[in-house]
């Protein structure tokens, strides 16, 4: 969420203090840890870039004669990574000079930063404390936003012991090819090598110790593209070039795997699936749940009935003929009928600002009843106690309201609850520094939040960590908290759009891991640029109905239930850097997802009538605009079936 403050003097003081702390924490023996950070070797190694979209160029450069170029496409953000040895518990500073639109710098599983439009060389910098003996740093652009450049990439800190990352292996070549297997070999990588990983796309399909491998279990007459990376204790090398090979048996072997397996509808007792036809000769399709055959069909769809309400299932579909079965396509889905507790079936969430930034300052009790859940923004990190949070009424807000006290705020929480509104405490925000990166921090987080819930009467917690999230320890913290508060605890999340593009991302994996206790995910569908939707065909532009529906579809086709998915939008054009849509567009998007009506050019492959609703940043900005967002969207939500 945007959390811009108007007090320049306070910001300057905080900046000086932050610089002083950084100076104290940076190791005295700081040194350069990255290899080839200026790309002056003329080679990418040991950098590895997705899709083969990274290259070394001679112009533009900031210093020297070389720089990194990432050619982001509509389907690949040209992510370039390097894994290095570090010393656990030691602070490091990562920086890079970049040019381009939407350029990101970060540490996998940790901190990140970005710039939306660097027309000239702009430095990105972040600090982090290593949690293990190696880290992977990255740079990437964004889908459909064009080429970015980076130079003078640096990781300053104490170098770790152990070998350097190996060089890239030689390009693989195919040996013996059968109906179901492909034999590969490649040239050895330079440096210390523990083994090799054979990739098909982003999936490791073999991990040999030598320079050859046979990939088995393939379908007849199927085409595969492989690349190879070497690895050791320091990390993984850049990938080799790729080789594309087709198995034999075209026209005579087992069919190819079905494609585009999807959930087309779900009820309390059934899940409907559909898929695209397999290649080769097909007699029919078998649908399995685990190893159990659930149904056999000759068409491209099946409905699984007799299921329990609010139950999750994982299905695989295989084509078959007289020769045998194809490889499987797999998908997870959940039936409807999940209990919503004492929350409305469709609801509106809004963020209440505990600070002053140009929006209308409000007492909590002034929030209208059109907001079903009010997220108080934000809890503050407790200095010196990792994971711990605190809350007090902001001094600037108190002054703007003529003296608003903690006692008055607590009374206002009680007032909202008497109106059947829920009040939750949001943790994070654009400038938030709460970090839950180990078991101790997870315990501190749960303990201090429980104390705040008890003291103020909050109904739950919202996770809005925009500067990195550790899914393992945040899950630990939230389960600890729920075990103490009980099943009535509301848990919401407000990930940025980028966080919900892939189920492997930290936020997405957290949501899936806690879906048994998760209430709602309010994805921030703004400040995003263009992104791919669930059809994986187009980079849809933000501030359009297609962007909202195609990206929400990604979550709805995962194992999240529809009642756990909501659309997050800014209340006004001042509330975000980009992505504002008229509230009527939000209503149309909800209709499109729930009933397939009022869609744009993208029409979702299924209908999700239990879609939960919407969220807005913020109630204060909405107040500045006469509550147009709440009045328009809430009035629509109450009419949805």
């Amino acid at each position: 969420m945007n959390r811009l403050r108007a007090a320049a003097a306070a910001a300057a003081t905080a900046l000086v203090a932050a610089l002083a702390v950084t100076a104290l924490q940076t190791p005295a023996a700081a040194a350069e840890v990255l290899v080839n950070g200026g790309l002056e070797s003329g080679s990418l190694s040991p950098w590895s870039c997705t899709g083969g979209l990274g290259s070394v160029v001679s112009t533009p450069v900031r210093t020297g004669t070389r720089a990194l170029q990432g050619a982001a496409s509509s389907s690949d953000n040209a992510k370039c990574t390097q894994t290095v040895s570090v010393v656990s518990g030691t602070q490091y500073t990562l920086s890079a000079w970049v040019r381009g639109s939407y350029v990101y710098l970060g540490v996998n599983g940790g901190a990140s930063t970005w710039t939306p439009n660097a027309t000239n060389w702009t430095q990105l910098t972040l600090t982090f404390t290593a949690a293990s003996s190696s880290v992977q740093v990255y740079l990437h652009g964004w889908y459909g936003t064009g080429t970015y450049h980076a130079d003078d990439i640096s990781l300053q800190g104490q170098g770790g012991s152990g070998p350097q990352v190996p060089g890239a292996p030689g390009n693989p070549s195919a040996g013996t090819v059968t109906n179901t297997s492909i034999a590969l070999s490649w040239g050895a990588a330079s440096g210390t090598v523990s083994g090799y990983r054979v990739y098909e796309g982003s999936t490791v399909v073999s991990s040999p110790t030598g320079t050859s491998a046979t990939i088995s279990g393939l379908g007849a007459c199927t085409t595969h593209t492989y690349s190879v990376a070497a690895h050791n204790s320091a990390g993984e090398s850049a990938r080799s070039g790729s080789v594309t090979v087709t198995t034999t048996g075209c026209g005579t072997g087992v069919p190819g795997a079905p494609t585009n397996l999807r959930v087309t509808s779900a009820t309390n007792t059934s899940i409907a699936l559909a898929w695209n036809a397999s290649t080769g000769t097909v007699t029919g399709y078998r649908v399995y749940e685990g190893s159990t055959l659930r149904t056999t069909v000759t068409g491209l769809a099946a409905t699984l009935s007799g299921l329990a309400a609010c139950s999750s299932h994982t299905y695989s579909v295989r084509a078959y003929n007289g020769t045998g079965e194809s490889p499987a396509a797999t998908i997870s889905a959940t039936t409807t009928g999940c209990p919503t507790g004492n929350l409305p079936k469709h609801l509106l969430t809004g963020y209440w600002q505990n600070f002053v930034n140009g929006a209308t300052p409000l007492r909590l009790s002034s929030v209208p009843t059109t907001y079903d859940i009010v997220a108080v923004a934000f809890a503050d990190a407790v200095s010196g106690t990792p994971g711990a949070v605190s809350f007090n009424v902001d001094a600037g807000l108190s002054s703007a309201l003529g003296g608003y006290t903690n006692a008055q705020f607590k009374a206002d929480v009680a007032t909202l609850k008497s109106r059947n509104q829920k009040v939750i405490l949001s943790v994070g925000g654009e400038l938030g520094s709460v970090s839950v990166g180990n078991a101790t921090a997870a315990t501190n987080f749960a303990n201090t939040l429980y104390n705040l819930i008890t003291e103020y009467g909050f109904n739950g917690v919202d996770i809005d960590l925009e500067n990195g999230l550790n899914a393992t320890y945040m899950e630990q913290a939230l389960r600890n908290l729920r075990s103490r508060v009980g099943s009535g605890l509301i848990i919401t999340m407000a990930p940025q759009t980028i966080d919900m593009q892939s189920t492997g991302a930290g936020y997405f994996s957290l949501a899936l891991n806690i879906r048994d206790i998760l209430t709602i995910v309010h994805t921030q569908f703004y400040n995003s640029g263009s992104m791919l939707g669930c059809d994986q065909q187009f980079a849809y532009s933000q501030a359009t109905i297609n962007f909202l529906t195609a990206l929400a579809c990604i979550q709805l086709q995962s194992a999240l239930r529809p009642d756990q998915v909501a659309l997050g939008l800014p209340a006004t054009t001042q509330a975000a850097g980009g992505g504002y849509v008229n509230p009527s567009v939000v209503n149309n998007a909800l209709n499109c997802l729930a009933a397939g009506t009022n869609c744009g050019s993208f029409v979702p492959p299924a209908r999700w009538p239990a879609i939960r609703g919407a969220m807005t940043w913020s109630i204060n900005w909405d107040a500045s605009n006469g509550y147009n967002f709440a009045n328009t969207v809430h009035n629509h939500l109450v009419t949805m079936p």
Side-chain angles (χ1 to χ4, degrees):
M1 305 297 172
N2 287 321
R3 195 182 184 186
L4 301 177
R5 308 242 184 188
T13 301
L15 176 60
V16 172
L19 291 173
V21 170
T22 300
L24 287 173
Q25 293 177 339
T26 301
E32 181 56 50
V33 182
L34 284 179
V35 177
N36 198 22
L39 287 300
E40 295 304 314
S41 69
S43 167
L44 275 175
S45 182
W47 293 96
S48 176
C49 301
T50 58
L53 298 176
S55 61
V56 179
V57 296
S58 57
T59 184
V61 299
R62 178 178 176 268
T63 63
T65 60
R66 297 287 189 274
L68 171 68
Q69 176 174 283
S73 68
S74 62
S75 59
D76 194 314
N77 62 7
K79 184 176 184 179
C80 295
T81 61
Q82 183 179 146
T83 302
V84 295
S85 297
V86 292
V87 178
S88 181
T90 301
Q91 188 179 75
Y92 291 81
T93 299
L94 176 64
S95 64
W97 290 84
V98 301
R99 290 177 54 160
S101 297
Y102 295 95
V103 188
Y104 295 75
L105 173 73
V107 180
N108 272 352
S112 65
T113 185
W114 64 294
T115 178
N117 188 23
T119 55
N120 295 309
W121 288 109
T122 300
Q123 188 177 38
L124 298 177
T125 302
L126 59 90
T127 59
F128 66 95
T129 299
S132 64
S133 61
S134 69
V135 297
Q136 186 177 72
V137 302
Y138 65 81
L139 286 138
H140 65 73
W142 201 244
Y143 304 97
T145 59
T147 298
Y148 72 91
H149 295 90
D151 201 358
D152 300 325
I153 311 162
S154 174
L155 179 61
Q156 291 287 319
Q158 184 177 349
S161 59
Q164 295 295 311
V165 176
N171 293 343
S173 59
T176 302
V177 180
T178 71
N179 281 17
T180 59
S181 67
I182 296 171
L184 302 172
S185 61
W186 53 88
S190 60
T192 301
V193 177
S194 299
Y196 295 88
R197 296 181 181 123
V198 181
Y199 284 88
E200 182 167 13
S202 60
T203 302
V204 177
V205 295
S206 182
S207 299
T209 56
T211 57
S212 63
T214 298
I215 317 303
S216 304
L218 308 177
C221 196
T222 55
T223 299
H224 305 269
T225 299
Y226 300 109
S227 60
V228 183
H231 66 90
N232 60 22
S233 59
E236 187 176 272
S237 74
R239 292 194 199 176
S240 67
S242 61
V243 62
T244 299
V245 190
T246 301
T247 55
T248 57
C250 292
T252 60
V254 298
T259 58
N260 192 27
L261 177 60
R262 57 201 182 273
V263 177
T264 54
S265 66
T267 70
N268 285 14
T269 59
S270 67
I271 294 172
L273 306 176
W275 54 88
N276 293 353
S278 297
T279 57
T281 302
V282 177
T283 302
Y285 297 89
R286 294 173 179 144
V287 182
Y288 293 87
E289 184 167 11
S291 60
T292 303
L293 178 64
R294 292 302 186 195
T295 188
T296 300
V297 297
T298 56
L300 300 178
T303 298
L304 294 309
S305 303
L307 309 178
C310 194
S311 58
S312 295
H313 304 266
T314 298
Y315 298 108
S316 58
V317 179
R318 297 176 181 266
Y320 71 94
N321 59 20
T323 303
E325 284 187 335
S326 74
T330 302
I331 196 168
S332 296
T334 303
T335 55
T336 58
C338 296
T340 59
N342 55 358
L343 290 171
K345 180 178 180 181
H346 305 291
L347 57 79
L348 177 63
T349 298
Y351 283 79
W352 176 83
Q353 296 180 191
N354 183 37
F355 53 89
V356 177
N357 70 339
T360 301
L362 293 173
R363 280 187 58 140
L364 188 65
S365 58
S366 298
V367 174
T369 56
T370 44
Y371 286 98
D372 302 292
I373 297 178
V374 178
V376 173
F378 296 94
D380 295 311
V382 177
S383 178
T385 308
V389 296
S390 64
F391 179 81
N392 289 286
V393 172
D394 177 74
L397 177 64
S398 176
S399 176
L401 295 175
Y404 190 35
T405 66
N406 281 0
Q408 291 172 322
F409 175 84
K410 293 174 186 178
D412 285 353
V413 171
T415 296
L416 264 65
K417 292 168 70 173
S418 71
R419 302 172 185 164
N420 293 321
Q421 294 170 282
K422 305 299 181 184
V423 185
I424 61 178
L425 180 59
S426 183
V427 179
E430 181 189 21
L431 304 181
S433 58
V434 177
S435 176
V436 180
N438 55 47
T440 299
T443 300
N444 292 339
F445 185 87
N447 288 345
T448 52
L449 257 176
Y450 180 77
N451 292 339
L452 292 173
I453 287 171
T454 302
E455 178 182 358
Y456 285 90
F458 294 120
N459 297 104
V461 61
D462 171 67
I463 306 302
D464 181 23
L465 299 178
E466 300 183 13
N467 296 296
L469 177 149
N470 185 306
T472 299
Y473 293 111
M474 182 54 73
E475 177 184 0
Q476 186 180 113
L478 292 173
R479 290 194 181 278
N480 180 340
L481 183 64
R482 189 175 189 273
S483 70
R484 300 165 70 178
V485 176
S487 60
L489 178 71
I490 295 173
I491 300 176
T492 67
M493 298 167 58
Q496 299 173 96
T497 318
I498 187 175
D499 297 320
M500 301 300 287
Q501 282 278 287
S502 167
T503 55
Y507 246 115
F508 214 142
S509 62
L510 174 64
L512 295 175
N513 292 345
I514 65 166
R515 59 183 179 271
D516 58 313
I517 61 173
L518 174 67
T519 310
I520 310 172
V521 177
H522 303 109
T523 302
Q524 302 176 38
F525 288 115
Y526 50 93
N527 292 342
S528 306
S530 300
M531 292 194 183
L532 286 172
C534 64
D535 56 358
Q536 295 293 295
Q537 294 183 13
F538 302 102
Y540 293 103
S541 299
Q542 67 176 354
T544 64
I545 189 172
N546 286 340
F547 186 83
L548 301 180
T549 54
L551 272 74
C553 172
I554 296 173
Q555 298 168 47
L556 292 161
Q557 286 191 325
S558 74
L560 289 178
R561 307 189 309 265
D563 65 281
Q564 293 175 316
V565 178
L567 311 179
L569 280 307
T572 66
T573 55
Q574 304 101 307
Y580 172 80
V581 297
N582 189 287
S584 63
V585 177
V586 181
N587 293 346
N588 288 341
L590 291 168
N591 287 342
C592 179
L593 294 166
T597 59
N598 302 115
C599 298
S601 59
F602 171 81
V603 178
R607 307 292 178 263
W608 298 282
I611 185 80
R612 200 54 186 265
M615 170 275 283
T616 193
W617 178 264
S618 65
I619 296 170
N620 303 71
W621 282 114
D622 197 20
S624 302
N625 195 36
Y627 292 108
N628 183 49
F629 190 99
N631 291 336
T632 303
V633 177
H634 184 269
N635 289 345
H636 176 71
L637 288 168
V638 297
T639 67
M640 292 180 65

